[in-house]
Amino acid sequence: MRPLFVFVFFFTTSLFFGQKQYPTKDFRNPLDIKTVLAGTFGELRGNHFHAGLDIKTQQKEGLKVHAVADGYISRIKVALWGYGKVIYITHPNGYTTVYAHLSKFGNGIEEYVKSIQYKKKNYETGNIFLKPNQIPVKKGQVIAYSGSTGGFVSPHLHYEIRDTKTEKIINPFFFGVKVKDTIAPKIKGLFVYPLTDSSRVNQSIKKSLLAFKSIGNNTYTTNRINAKGPIGFSIQVYDKLNGAYNKNGIYSLEMNVNGHEVYHHVLETFSFAESKYVNLLIDYENYARFKNKFQKTFKEKANKLKIYKSLLNNGIVNIKNGFNYTVEIIASDFAGNKTKVRVPVRGVESNAVFRQAKDTTAYKITADKFNKFEQNGVSIAFPKNTFYHNLYLDFKVENNIATIHNPLIPLDKSYTLTFDVSKYTEGEKSQLYIANINNKKYPSYQNTRKKDDVFYTTTKTLGKYTLLSDKQKPTIKLLNFKNDQWITKNTKIIVKIEDKTSGINSYSATLDGEWILMEYNLKKKQIVYHFTDKKLVGAKHQLEIVVEDNVGNTNTLNATFYKKE
């Protein structure tokens, strides 16, 4: 017996949207080489969707980056993390293009940015907003050179398109970017979930990983499962493109039950504000444990994503005794290649009685209220709606280690963690900092604010925290010359800086008593000065570099070198 979906009208939350028509011929490619992708739009990244295309640069830096159309540079930024060196171009057709992880800006732009860096005496510029007539650009103009700035990234160009008015990010494939793709998405795993206390899957109250086998034509099937009550599914899937080994994100995910669509999302556009809800789209606990991303085909109540094309009962399948169901999940890429997996389900009343043990502690979180708890000199304060659900929090402080639940659930907001440090001397306090020790081998410095007898930090990560001491100065090492050496042929100064405990907070360099710009490569732990920045006077020159770590330990390097213009 197969149930009829005659109740669709009453239970459907349909978010049908007519696909907008985008200009497909306005923009050229930003690079001169063949477009091969390392990452696609909407990929599931750590705590967010990927906002653009990652275009491979043949493992090189310094490829010419072109303006894809006429417009003006509306924003520039240089940052150690995130997009690194980035340019935003606003176009008259209503869209803004973004070019990130650059190594260098184009002629005129580079000099303008450096003038700001020298004025601020800082490598990082913050956002530089420009007026329409300041730096106009023409289609095809070289605006920058590709690189790997912005953290620990490999050389590539991050290319992005936004609606200028709304700042919503749009899939660049809609604008005529073409890559060869004849490969269907690959399914790696499939979970089924009992979603209520009375739900069962094969007599169990726990989620189950389903085995599946190919039946040809990019279609797979599982063995039949017996189930009862509301259940849901999630799928681990990736897409591959011709000519690249990268595992990319899919474009569309849908689920049909007995031929009726009950779930469908597409990655056409989203806003930065909603991107964090990717943590509710995926099985976050599985991701936190194993770094696998299973996308749910049912929608959590707190999930505010607007990527859904249609939903029936939020994608939840209510299995009734005696009925048969065929659940079909379809993963598609932008080129239209599809992969399907079918799950036969039989509605079977469960005779087994299982009760999930009630999880109770002394620290009850009411999600829509402010919650604060204190224990053994450590307090934690959660703004209302930090958590997506009510829960009982595990919280203990032993041997100066604060355990705040576990990092297996996502948070919507940051909370405040405070340590009482009144028992320490002023000298000890100066070297202490708050650290996350979820990874015992690699403690992570937390931005520690100090006020009298308390240290505090804000974080969105649950888990283990403690106070650590950093008594070591940062290290500074000349790499491409030695003290008191002639370096006439050198075009730059390369110095390695490192702090293995609390990490580097700041650095500053002067040449012959004047501040100089040294660009920081986080991946290589190097700072670099280019001699083209300053005309040298005389032959003997004095370099001074001061580096400070996150607790205030400083180290200074003084070196003499000889070089003539």
Side-chain angles (χ1 to χ4, degrees):
M1 188 183 300
R2 294 162 66 91
L4 296 175
F5 283 76
V6 295
F7 49 87
V8 169
F9 177 80
F10 300 100
F11 291 89
T12 301
T13 304
S14 292
L15 305 175
F16 292 104
F17 48 89
Q19 183 182 303
K20 184 177 178 179
Q21 295 299 309
Y22 300 99
T24 58
K25 296 182 179 180
D26 287 10
F27 296 154
R28 59 154 285 170
N29 288 337
L31 299 174
D32 292 325
I33 61 174
K34 179 182 177 182
T35 301
V36 181
L37 299 182
T40 52
F41 180 86
E43 278 183 6
L44 305 174
R45 299 290 176 92
N47 298 318
H48 67 278
F49 286 116
H50 186 228
L53 301 179
D54 283 345
I55 304 175
K56 287 176 177 275
T57 56
Q58 301 173 342
Q59 300 179 343
K60 300 175 185 176
E61 297 192 21
L63 272 64
K64 293 178 180 178
V65 178
H66 302 270
V68 298
D70 291 357
Y72 71 94
I73 295 178
S74 51
R75 194 191 332 174
I76 303 172
K77 186 176 182 180
V78 177
L80 285 174
W81 300 97
Y83 284 0
K85 294 185 178 183
V86 57
I87 284 179
Y88 300 73
I89 299 178
T90 296
H91 305 280
N93 61 1
Y95 298 100
T96 295
T97 51
V98 184
Y99 315 75
H101 305 306
L102 308 169
S103 63
K104 185 180 177 180
F105 300 110
N107 289 340
I109 307 168
E110 177 76 2
E111 290 75 16
Y112 173 73
V113 174
K114 280 196 173 183
S115 71
I116 293 173
Q117 290 172 311
Y118 271 91
K119 184 177 180 180
K120 289 187 171 185
K121 294 185 177 180
N122 199 329
Y123 170 68
E124 296 190 281
T125 62
N127 283 311
I128 304 169
F129 293 100
L130 297 99
K131 295 178 181 179
N133 59 352
Q134 278 187 267
I135 308 182
V137 295
K138 288 292 185 181
K139 186 174 185 176
Q141 180 179 331
V142 176
I143 56 166
Y145 298 86
S146 66
S148 60
T149 56
F152 304 107
V153 297
S154 298
H156 72 278
L157 175 68
H158 174 90
Y159 175 59
E160 200 174 294
I161 301 178
R162 303 181 184 183
D163 182 291
T164 301
K165 288 184 178 179
T166 66
E167 278 285 298
K168 278 195 168 187
I169 319 100
I170 306 164
N171 193 329
F173 281 148
F174 283 105
F175 293 80
V177 174
K178 296 188 184 301
V179 294
K180 187 175 181 181
D181 183 5
T182 61
I183 305 169
K186 306 292 184 184
I187 297 174
K188 294 290 290 181
L190 181 67
F191 273 124
V192 58
Y193 304 77
L195 294 178
T196 68
D197 289 341
S198 60
S199 299
R200 299 289 184 272
V201 174
N202 292 334
Q203 306 291 324
S204 175
I205 59 173
K206 296 182 178 180
K207 70 180 181 184
S208 301
L209 188 64
L210 301 178
F212 50 89
K213 61 182 179 181
S214 173
I215 56 174
N217 197 28
N218 294 317
T219 302
Y220 298 82
T221 187
T222 72
N223 291 330
R224 189 182 74 179
I225 62 173
N226 295 323
K228 170 197 171 185
I231 64 172
F233 295 87
S234 73
I235 187 169
Q236 183 188 9
V237 60
Y238 66 86
D239 189 41
K240 292 190 73 172
L241 305 172
N242 298 69
Y245 294 103
N246 304 76
K247 295 178 179 179
N248 304 121
I250 59 171
Y251 167 68
S252 165
L253 186 64
E254 58 188 295
M255 182 174 71
N256 300 325
V257 179
N258 291 346
H260 297 268
E261 186 176 82
V262 300
Y263 177 96
H264 192 185
H265 83 241
V266 296
L267 275 305
E268 177 184 350
T269 181
F270 61 86
S271 70
F272 282 108
E274 66 188 86
S275 187
K276 64 182 178 180
Y277 294 107
V278 69
N279 287 332
L280 295 179
L281 174 68
I282 65 173
D283 182 331
Y284 189 85
E285 179 181 350
N286 189 79
Y287 167 66
R289 288 186 187 277
F290 307 112
K291 300 306 176 187
N292 296 323
K293 297 186 179 80
F294 280 76
Q295 302 183 55
K296 298 173 184 173
T297 56
F298 59 96
K299 181 176 178 289
E300 300 273 4
K301 274 188 177 181
N303 182 350
K304 296 181 182 179
L305 286 171
K306 295 183 177 68
I307 62 172
Y308 299 101
K309 183 176 180 181
S310 64
L311 286 168
L312 170 63
N313 197 29
N314 282 328
I316 297 169
V317 185
N318 191 16
I319 305 299
K320 296 183 178 180
N321 185 37
F323 287 96
N324 292 315
Y325 304 79
T326 299
V327 175
E328 184 177 65
I329 300 172
I330 306 164
S332 307
D333 59 28
F334 192 85
N337 303 302
K338 299 178 184 291
T339 300
K340 305 175 183 179
V341 59
R342 293 172 183 153
V343 185
V345 184
R346 172 72 174 168
V348 175
E349 193 67 36
S350 175
N351 295 321
V353 177
F354 298 99
R355 295 290 180 190
Q356 192 81 31
K358 291 293 182 182
D359 187 10
T360 60
T361 71
Y363 307 101
K364 183 180 179 181
I365 293 288
T366 303
D368 62 356
K369 293 183 179 179
F370 174 78
N371 298 270
K372 184 176 182 179
F373 309 109
E374 188 169 355
Q375 184 183 146
N376 297 337
V378 175
S379 69
I380 45 177
F382 301 96
K384 72 176 185 175
N385 298 320
T386 298
F387 293 87
Y388 293 113
H389 309 285
N390 296 341
L391 78 154
Y392 287 95
L393 192 78
D394 291 320
F395 175 43
K396 65 180 180 180
V397 181
E398 295 177 349
N399 300 320
N400 209 37
I401 295 175
T403 302
I404 305 145
H405 209 68
N406 59 62
L408 303 182
I409 60 173
L411 301 183
D412 188 73
K413 298 177 181 178
S414 296
Y415 66 97
T416 301
L417 167 65
T418 304
F419 281 82
D420 183 331
V421 294
S422 57
K423 67 180 180 181
Y424 297 98
T425 66
E426 292 303 313
E428 289 171 330
K429 287 179 191 177
S430 68
Q431 297 173 326
L432 287 175
Y433 64 96
I434 300 173
N436 178 289
I437 55 171
N438 286 341
N439 185 328
K440 294 180 181 179
K441 190 175 180 181
Y442 300 105
S444 174
Y445 170 83
Q446 301 295 300
N447 184 23
T448 305
R449 282 159 282 183
K450 303 181 178 183
K451 186 177 180 181
D452 299 327
D453 287 336
V454 295
F455 289 1
Y456 64 98
T457 190
T458 55
T459 177
K460 286 182 74 172
T461 302
L462 299 171
K464 295 181 182 293
Y465 292 84
T466 192
L467 293 171
L468 294 180
S469 179
D470 180 1
K471 300 178 181 180
Q472 297 180 335
K473 295 179 180 180
T475 58
I476 310 172
K477 183 180 180 182
L478 298 171
L479 291 184
N480 67 333
F481 73 95
K482 295 179 181 179
N483 187 40
D484 225 27
Q485 181 182 350
W486 276 92
I487 57 170
T488 301
K489 294 183 179 181
N490 285 28
T491 60
K492 54 192 173 183
I493 294 171
I494 307 174
V495 179
K496 182 176 181 178
I497 60 174
E498 188 174 12
D499 189 89
K500 294 183 177 180
T501 312
S502 64
I504 290 172
N505 176 53
S506 66
Y507 68 94
S508 182
T510 60
L511 181 57
D512 298 333
E514 294 184 12
W515 187 88
I516 56 172
L517 172 65
M518 298 201 76
E519 303 206 5
Y520 193 1
N521 186 313
L522 289 164
K523 194 173 183 180
K524 295 181 179 179
K525 301 176 183 178
Q526 294 176 2
I527 53 175
V528 178
Y529 169 71
H530 297 270
F531 283 115
T532 52
D533 282 5
K534 173 183 167 65
K535 186 174 182 179
L536 297 176
V537 178
K540 184 178 180 180
H541 305 284
Q542 188 68 35
L543 174 70
E544 181 176 271
I545 299 173
V546 180
V547 181
E548 182 179 16
D549 67 20
N550 280 306
V551 299
N553 297 315
T554 60
N555 196 5
T556 301
L557 177 143
N558 284 289
T560 300
F561 65 88
Y562 299 88
K563 180 179 173 67
K564 288 184 177 181
E565 286 289 333

